[in-house]
Amino acid sequence: MDLPNPSDLHAALQHEGFAFLTADAMHGLLDAATLDDWPAFAASWNTLGDDGYLAARGRLRRRRHAVFTADATTGAIIREPNQPHYQSLAYNALQGGIERWFEPVEPAIAGSSSLRRILAFCRDNFGALAPDVRTWRIETHQFRIEARADAAGEPTPEGVHRDGVDYVLVLLIDRENIERGTTTIHAPDGRELGQFTLVHAFDAALLDDHRVFHGVTPVVPKDPMQAAHRDVLVVTFKAA
């Protein structure tokens, strides 16, 4: 989708259950002038902790996590105390059924103009699709997937899946020396509905998690002698 038109975005999510947005479109929807601290925001992906729940693969995925609530009436978005990320086995057969504690999003990043604008964008657009929801539970995940010559990085080690929420935003932050990493969208019966590779910072995918499944193909380094990573911000909204 190339035009930064909220009504087109809402229509795509309502009719298709997903939308892919180019960086230019996302820039327009977010209003790039509100992202004055973006360089520091993006640089915070350099300080993520290991994902210890992936056992041997944990060294290839780094992350931080935070929980917020959004009040649909007042518009207020409030950070909640540190808490675990939980998915049932029905949604995550690989890592579900346990409370997973990750290093928290740093306070300066949680309060940054960039993250606050992204969360407000999600509140406004997902809220327009579910006007009866008064309070949203928001989870934010900073992910860095690393790849080496001898080990591809797996953005979705659980495979094609749903997250067990209402709506999802996947926003590319950075992509360094990486090939592949294509986001695929699937119907519940497994049919592929669309695919899009997040290549440029601000490329994005938005999903109705009730209606579609999603996955990302493994990433590999272009130059096997150099460091390689794929950084994304994942934001999920669920009616509280």
Side-chain angles (χ1 to χ4, degrees):
M1 183 182 297
D2 295 318
L3 297 176
N5 187 324
S7 62
D8 289 343
L9 173 58
H10 299 162
L13 287 168
Q14 287 176 323
H15 296 146
E16 307 297 333
F18 69 96
F20 294 130
L21 297 175
T22 65
D24 286 345
M26 246 343 240
H27 261 127
L29 290 167
L30 290 173
D31 183 1
T34 67
L35 309 174
D36 57 292
D37 57 4
W38 181 264
F41 178 68
S44 71
W45 265 255
N46 295 324
T47 64
L48 305 188
D50 289 341
D51 183 346
Y53 296 92
L54 281 179
R57 288 176 293 182
R59 65 181 180 275
L60 299 183
R61 181 159 83 169
R62 303 182 188 279
R63 66 195 294 177
R64 287 183 184 269
H65 172 254
V67 177
F68 298 80
T69 55
D71 187 300
T73 301
T74 66
I77 297 174
I78 298 171
R79 185 173 187 176
E80 298 296 332
N82 235 16
Q83 49 196 277
H85 175 54
Y86 178 84
Q87 292 173 295
S88 71
L89 286 167
Y91 291 104
N92 190 334
L94 180 64
Q95 300 167 301
I98 59 172
E99 293 186 344
R100 287 184 284 162
W101 290 88
F102 301 108
E103 290 190 23
V105 173
E106 296 172 322
I109 300 306
S112 66
S113 298
S114 293
L115 183 59
R116 290 292 171 161
R117 177 66 193 110
I118 293 165
L119 296 183
F121 162 81
C122 292
R123 177 202 62 208
D124 295 344
N125 285 278
F126 295 151
L129 299 170
D132 293 335
V133 175
R134 306 320 310 155
T135 305
W136 293 100
R137 172 185 168 85
I138 307 168
E139 291 193 58
T140 62
H141 305 263
Q142 293 179 278
F143 285 108
R144 167 166 286 183
I145 305 301
E146 299 172 337
R148 301 194 310 257
D150 62 343
E154 298 182 62
T156 53
E158 64 272 49
V160 174
H161 66 287
R162 291 186 296 157
D163 289 340
V165 296
D166 294 317
Y167 299 102
V168 181
L169 165 72
V170 182
L171 181 70
L172 186 70
I173 305 299
D174 185 41
R175 184 181 169 105
E176 180 67 30
N177 190 34
I178 284 290
E179 292 186 317
R180 305 180 191 170
T182 297
T183 299
T184 60
I185 307 298
H186 301 261
D189 64 7
R191 288 178 299 114
E192 185 176 303
L193 301 176
Q195 61 174 254
F196 182 69
T197 303
L198 307 180
V199 175
H200 306 289
F202 293 100
D203 282 350
L206 290 90
L207 314 171
D208 180 336
D209 196 57
H210 292 286
R211 296 174 55 194
V212 298
F213 289 66
H214 64 281
V216 183
T217 61
V219 296
V220 296
K222 291 180 180 179
D223 180 348
M225 303 304 293
Q226 301 296 322
H229 66 257
R230 176 183 185 266
D231 294 349
V232 299
L233 174 72
V234 175
V235 179
T236 65
F237 269 57
K238 184 177 179 64

